Amino acid sequence: MLATDYRTRLLVIFPRLSRNPAATLAITFAVALAALLAMAWWAYYPGLSGSYLFDDLANINATGATGPIDHWATFWRYITSGVADPTGRPLTLLSFLIDARDWPADPHSFKLTNLLLHLLNGVLLAWAMLALGRRAKVNRRRNAIAAWLGTAFWLLHPLFVSTTLYIVQREAMLPATFTFIGLICWCTGRERLDEGRALQAWSWLIAGAWLCTMLATLSKANGVLLPLLIAVAECTVLRSQIFSDTDSAVAQRLRWCRWMLLGIPIALLALVMVAEIPSAIRVAAESRPWTIGQRLLSEPRILMDYLQLLWLPRATSYGLFNDQVRASTDWVHPWTTLPSIVAVVALIAFGWSARKRHPLLAFAILFYFAGQAMESSFLPLELAFEHRNYLPAAFMFWPFAAWLSVPRNGRLRTAGAFLAIVVLALLTWTRASVWGNVQQQALIWGQINPDSARAQAFAAAVEEYRGDYLDAITRLRKASAMQPTEVQLTLNLAAAECKTGAIEKSTWQLALYSLQHTANGSRAVFNWFTQIIPSAQRLQCQGLSLTGLEQALAAARANPKHGRQHGRQQDYDHIAGLIAIAIGQPQQALTDFNAALTASPNPDTALQQAAALGASDYPVYGLRHLDFAQTQTSRMKPNFGMARLHEWVLQHQHYWQNETARLRATLAADAAAKRKTETDSPLTNP
């Protein structure tokens, strides 16, 4: 009755719509979509008050790394500074300029832009579903209802709070944006091809398959999967009736388009992935506590966990902490390994076999696993992260939404759909509220992730910030006893005890043990040393001395997992130089800094180390270090990709030359002033 009254009133206001059912449906869909966006805004709004987290700072503070981005020189230095992928993810970096052009910056604007991007992705997803459904010959009304419901289930799903409100994961959201646009363009090209408009068809198809792939890849490397995702659509929902006539001109053109625009990129991607296998094996051996084989055994378990989180949503989750996920050591340890592998293979096989009879269901299944093909394969990334589901799960609920749109038992299905949407919105609002309160967030994550060293360290940091040092120490002691090789626990425990005045002997021994035996390649060790050296120099806590830090550094160097890595060697030599400065041994510090530069030559390291010598009243040694850096110039060759372009930009702008000249002038002036002071001193001129 209500729907009938609404439709009658709408036709009174817009009488022409009575003669155009398609326009009526379009306006109704637009109004419903606007209401959905408003609901999503309400659900996410409490999370906008949150702060930066973890990788946020390591990526976003590049906006002020070489000065405010207020002219082209700093713009090009910034936009080429990315190091996460060979591409550097420049489009993601570009999007951050919407919110800030200098550092520090307010996180609220970044989170707001992320939320707006999530809403935009919802609109694009609905559009893509409409386009795909129309090509699949789904009834117009059912197609609109299924697209709206499928979008609602995805847009309001609480699992994606950890993507939308985690600022740095804009790099996971932008590939989804360009993937949806790519699918829309491809469907448009297919329509033009059927109509015989070859030039327009090729333009749309190239834009969808190649241009959008390029834009998605420049946002994050997994954007390169777009041709594979389009191919999944071609095998399922876009299977065309024209193939009953294999000799038709349209069929031949379409086959040619598929091979040219999809087949070639997929083949190139396969070759690149195969070529990456040796590098992946080496990196895993150096920096991960598992092998590539163990990762491949583990990922099916993790994918099944993802699917459980998607189909059984909850108000809380592991959040950003997945270090508690243990790798499978063989087919039966843990016991869920083999069943998970069987389940994943069975799902993929079912999706392939059902592509003709149930194209929407097959598309959702195959799209999900194709979307996980990079981040859940052999690449030596961390085992699990929730944000990896953002794009792959985009069409996950579309078949269910299509089932709900069937007129049979309409009221019951409508009530079920409405209830599901309300529940999802409330769960998302609850989770977003936690994301809006960093202290509450840390303590909740610490509670639900007892085996996560990162979660316990984060919760302890919040307790320290509030002044609850005893609570933080108790938490870290308990966690360290369970995981004695986790440096994030043992080193933070030593730092927390230091703030209370003394480090216990047992804690220090545990710290030494973890430094020598940890299997994680975290920067936590480097950061801990650089932060605690001043405390040891000033004798601020009992049980901590510079001699003890030398012992700790020796333990880290003795670690068989990390001791021989070039990056670690540079870190350790740099730390040794800082300790030597604190002891008052500038010559030893110079030797250590030179060794650090030799291990991995780059001008930024040279400037930092020379500046450290100058700031410690050893300007002459700082000048000597700059002289040594000049001898290493020929070895300062950046890696392939954006790093090389970034170095070219810096050279073209004479950035390092100018920075070195400024620092050299400062050190020379300080050295001259120091000589004058020593000459004028009554101790040298009685």
Side-chain angles (χ1 to χ4, degrees):
M1 179 64 72
L2 291 176
T4 303
D5 291 344
Y6 168 75
R7 194 177 296 109
T8 301
R9 293 176 182 177
L10 188 64
L11 294 177
V12 170
I13 299 173
F14 301 101
R16 291 185 180 179
L17 296 181
S18 61
R19 299 188 298 273
N20 192 343
T24 303
L25 183 62
I27 291 179
T28 303
F29 183 84
V31 172
L33 186 59
L36 176 60
L37 297 178
M39 184 181 296
W41 176 274
W42 170 83
Y44 273 94
Y45 185 78
L48 296 180
S49 58
S51 186
Y52 296 111
L53 293 168
F54 307 109
D55 289 346
D56 283 344
L57 297 177
N59 289 270
I60 300 173
N61 63 6
T63 53
T66 63
I69 304 174
D70 52 9
H71 56 279
W72 283 111
T74 52
F75 171 81
W76 289 116
R77 291 200 295 268
Y78 165 74
I79 209 67
T80 60
S81 64
V83 295
D85 292 333
T87 66
R89 305 177 183 177
L91 283 186
T92 301
L93 293 178
L94 181 64
S95 74
F96 289 145
L97 296 183
I98 297 172
D99 309 297
R101 296 174 184 83
D102 200 1
W103 189 260
D106 185 359
H108 181 270
S109 178
F110 290 94
K111 289 181 179 289
L112 178 61
T113 301
N114 273 26
L115 177 53
L116 293 175
L117 180 60
H118 184 54
L119 299 182
L120 172 62
N121 283 344
V123 174
L124 293 173
L125 176 60
W127 190 350
M129 287 181 181
L130 287 173
L132 291 168
R134 185 168 58 250
R135 294 293 305 172
K137 311 300 182 184
V138 178
N139 173 272
R140 181 179 295 172
R141 181 176 178 277
R142 281 193 60 199
N143 189 31
I145 295 174
W148 187 87
L149 286 175
T151 301
F153 295 150
W154 179 83
L155 192 66
L156 294 171
H157 202 291
L159 185 65
F160 305 128
V161 169
S162 58
T163 304
T164 306
L165 296 181
Y166 189 16
I167 296 171
V168 73
Q169 289 313 324
R170 192 177 301 178
E171 61 194 15
M173 302 172 72
L174 284 171
T177 305
F178 295 115
T179 296
F180 299 151
I181 295 174
L183 287 168
I184 295 167
C185 290
W186 186 267
C187 289
T188 304
R190 287 289 307 272
E191 291 177 359
R192 298 296 183 270
L193 195 64
D194 291 349
E195 296 168 357
R197 304 178 185 180
L199 182 60
Q200 292 186 25
W202 273 96
S203 299
W204 282 105
L205 293 173
I206 291 173
W210 286 1
L211 177 60
C212 287
T213 297
M214 181 185 69
L215 296 175
T217 305
L218 292 177
S219 302
K220 191 177 181 180
N222 63 346
V224 76
L225 293 173
L226 177 54
L228 178 62
L229 299 178
I230 296 176
V232 168
E234 282 289 336
C235 293
T236 54
V237 291
L238 295 183
R239 287 181 63 85
S240 179
Q241 300 284 334
I242 61 177
F243 283 101
S244 59
D245 181 9
T246 56
D247 295 328
S248 72
V250 176
Q252 292 177 5
R253 284 196 295 268
L254 179 57
R255 189 178 296 109
W256 179 254
C257 290
R258 283 171 164 170
W259 280 109
M260 285 291 295
L261 301 182
L262 302 180
I264 291 176
I266 292 172
L268 291 175
L269 174 61
L271 290 174
V272 171
M273 293 286 283
V274 170
E276 282 294 313
I277 293 177
S279 175
I281 294 173
R282 175 181 56 80
V283 171
E286 291 179 350
S287 61
R288 298 298 184 190
W290 34 258
T291 66
I292 291 300
Q294 291 172 340
R295 189 180 202 279
L296 290 174
L297 288 174
S298 305
E299 285 305 317
R301 286 175 36 230
I302 294 164
L303 288 171
M304 295 308 295
D305 288 340
Y306 289 159
L307 291 174
Q308 183 182 39
L309 290 172
L310 285 164
W311 286 100
L312 297 174
R314 60 196 70 170
T316 59
S317 71
Y318 298 135
L320 306 183
F321 303 107
N322 295 279
D323 53 317
Q324 80 276 11
V325 177
R326 302 300 179 221
S328 297
T329 55
D330 55 44
W331 294 86
V332 293
H333 293 92
W335 71 268
T336 53
T337 301
L338 184 57
S340 296
I341 294 173
V342 172
V344 169
V345 172
L347 282 171
I348 295 174
F350 172 76
W352 182 255
S353 64
R355 67 190 187 281
K356 296 179 182 178
R357 291 177 291 109
H358 306 290
L360 266 65
L361 180 59
F363 175 66
I365 294 172
L366 296 178
F367 188 94
Y368 179 77
F369 289 108
Q372 297 280 6
M374 286 188 68
E375 294 180 307
S376 297
S377 63
F378 64 85
L379 296 180
L381 308 171
E382 296 208 32
L383 292 177
F385 268 121
E386 291 178 358
H387 67 258
R388 292 175 185 170
N389 293 277
Y390 187 81
L391 172 59
F395 296 92
M396 176 71 66
F397 310 105
W398 190 26
F400 178 56
W403 178 80
L404 289 174
S405 67
V406 174
R408 187 173 61 254
N409 299 323
R411 292 186 178 180
L412 182 60
R413 298 187 189 215
T414 300
F418 177 77
L419 179 61
I421 290 172
V422 170
V423 169
L424 289 174
L426 291 175
L427 290 175
T428 297
W429 182 90
T430 302
R431 190 176 294 192
S433 299
V434 173
W435 275 75
N437 187 326
V438 175
Q439 295 189 25
Q440 181 188 25
Q441 184 181 40
L443 297 178
I444 289 177
W445 281 350
Q447 181 179 0
I448 65 178
N449 296 293
D451 297 328
S452 167
R454 295 175 185 170
Q456 300 309 314
F458 183 37
V462 167
E463 288 170 333
E464 288 184 46
Y465 177 78
R466 299 192 310 188
D468 299 331
Y469 292 105
L470 294 180
D471 290 343
I473 291 171
T474 301
R475 177 188 295 276
L476 292 171
R477 281 178 181 168
K478 180 180 178 181
S480 297
M482 298 174 60
Q483 303 181 67
T485 62
E486 282 290 348
V487 289
Q488 293 185 86
L489 299 173
T490 59
L491 299 185
N492 281 326
L493 174 59
E497 289 184 356
C498 186
K499 292 176 182 177
T500 64
I503 299 178
E504 292 190 6
K505 186 176 181 179
S506 60
T507 297
W508 188 252
Q509 292 301 318
L510 186 60
L512 296 179
Y513 177 83
S514 67
L515 285 168
Q516 188 170 353
H517 295 91
T518 183
N520 293 319
S522 172
R523 291 278 293 176
V525 173
F526 180 83
N527 293 335
W528 178 77
F529 271 108
T530 56
Q531 292 169 9
I532 208 167
I533 287 173
S535 298
Q537 184 178 13
R538 292 191 292 266
L539 301 176
Q540 288 183 329
C541 67
Q542 186 179 352
L544 177 66
S545 65
L546 293 172
T547 302
L549 289 181
E550 289 181 316
Q551 183 184 12
L553 181 58
R557 288 186 187 275
N559 188 310
K561 186 79 172 180
H562 305 134
R564 297 180 181 179
Q565 295 178 23
H566 287 296
R568 291 294 170 198
Q569 283 292 341
Q570 183 182 60
D571 288 348
Y572 295 152
D573 288 333
H574 179 81
I575 292 166
L578 295 178
I579 294 175
I581 288 176
I583 294 174
Q585 299 176 347
Q587 182 57 53
Q588 182 60 49
L590 177 61
T591 300
D592 292 329
F593 284 160
N594 287 350
L597 198 60
T598 302
S600 183
N602 67 83
D604 190 29
T605 298
L607 292 176
Q608 289 185 36
Q609 295 182 154
L613 287 164
S616 300
D617 202 27
Y618 301 121
V620 172
Y621 291 91
L623 290 169
R624 292 177 184 174
H625 186 58
L626 290 180
D627 293 338
F628 177 79
Q630 284 187 325
T631 67
Q632 303 296 306
T633 302
S634 61
R635 299 179 59 235
M636 296 181 182
K637 296 180 180 180
N639 296 326
F640 175 79
M642 186 60 73
R644 183 165 297 180
L645 178 59
H646 181 63
E647 187 59 32
W648 180 86
V649 169
L650 295 176
Q651 290 179 358
H652 182 72
Q653 296 180 1
H654 305 289
Y655 178 79
W656 292 124
Q657 295 92 320
N658 294 335
E659 291 297 307
T660 301
R662 276 194 285 269
L663 180 58
R664 186 179 289 277
T666 301
L667 292 173
D670 291 345
K674 185 175 182 180
R675 284 195 299 269
K676 185 176 186 306
T677 301
E678 292 173 349
T679 302
D680 295 341
S681 172
L683 295 178
T684 57
N685 295 287

